[in-house]
Structure formats: C-alpha cells, structure tokens
Amino acid sequence: ATAHYIGQYLVTFRQTGLSSDATGTVVTVDSASKTFGDLPFSKWVDCGGSVTYSYSSTVSSTVSGKRFRLNSVTGPVSPISVFGPVTVTGNYVTQYLITFTQTGLDSTATGTVVTVNSVAKTYNDLPYSFWADCGSSVTYSYSSVVSSSVPGKKFELVAVHCPPPPYTVCEPVTITGEYCCKYLVTFAQ
C-alpha cells in the first residue's frame, strides 16, 4: 500500500488597532470564538479545504467609554479556499463615548439646546451620546438662550463644562451646558 499525503497550509488570523483592554470575541474562525489574547491565531488546513471567519464589527473594552470599531479586513473574504498560506487581518480603530448634557433646564425648555456636528438637539434629546473615532473632530455649540413654554421665562447659558469646540476625540468625555432660569419682571404703574 502506498501512503497518500495531503499538503496543508497555515491560515493565520491577526488584528491591528486593539489594545490589551479589548474584551470579548474579536474573530470567529469555523464557529470558534477568538479573543484578543488568542491572536494571532493559526490553524493548519488541508490544501483545497476551506475556512470561514467573521470579525466582530465592534469589540468592547474593559475601559469605560471606550470600544474598538472594525475599519477593514485585509486578506481573502470568507469562506477561504486554501491553496497556500493565508493571513487575514481585522483592522480596528479606537472609539470613545461622547455625551452632551445640560443642567438648569426644565421640561418647559423649548427649541435647540445644543447643536452637535450640525444636528440640533432639544431638551428631550439630552443626554445625547454617540461613539466617535479617536482623532476625529466633534463640533458643537450650546444655545446662549433657550426659550420656555412658560411666558416670561427663559434660560441663559452660564458656562460650558469641558473642552472648547471643536473637540478632538482622545478619551471619553461628557460636555455639559449650564443654564440659569430668568424671569421677565414687569412693574405696573
């Protein structure tokens, strides 16, 4: 009897952009979840065989207000038909949670309180949070006066707590517009 040998090739899965605080599944290879600590992960595959994979669109972090977003994958698409050594890399970017809030307003506040990246937000929209890529720029402006549904009442902006706009994202941040309530006082003769 003659022995038949099947060639095998190494298939390797890597990542860029993640740091040691990444937690949870980064890539699923043939139904097996792989975390940051498992990568790079390699497996031998018979020539002509196939491998399926899927990188997570977001990877959590143990750091509050931080996560990683899948930006691109370099290498062949899943499923891979293996006819030579293969490397696949999931490329991630760090994102931070940006929150806009206010103090001093009440439910009578009407109209725009803050405009974030050209989108107006009202009292009922706040707090408003979103994920932004590290290094990206966030523009915002708080309204200097916010109207009230109560006649003779308004809210004036006293201060904005946190970095001035435009804010370059480098950490999670909460930006707060501080308002004080003003009433129109009329005196009768």
Side-chain angles (χ1 to χ4, degrees), residues 52-67:
T52 61
Y53 74 88
S54 166
Y55 279 89
S56 298
S57 59
T58 58
V59 175
S60 297
S61 168
T62 56
V63 175
S64 178
K66 179 181 179 183
R67 74 175 188 184

Side-chain angles (χ1 to χ4, degrees), residues 97-103 114 116 126-128 130 138-140 142 160-167 172-178:
L97 190 62
I98 309 301
T99 301
F100 288 88
T101 188
Q102 58 76 30
T103 61
V114 61
V116 181
L126 301 177
Y128 168 64
F130 63 96
V138 176
T139 60
Y140 68 89
Y142 278 88
V160 176
H161 301 282
C162 231
Y167 173 66
V173 68
T174 297
I175 300 171
T176 304
E178 180 185 346

Side-chain angles (χ1 to χ4, degrees), residues 1-3 6 12 17 24 35 53 70 84 94 124 135 169 172 176 178:
T2 56
I6 296 174
T12 303
T35 64
Y53 74 88
L70 183 64
T94 302
N124 290 331
V169 177
T176 304
E178 180 185 346

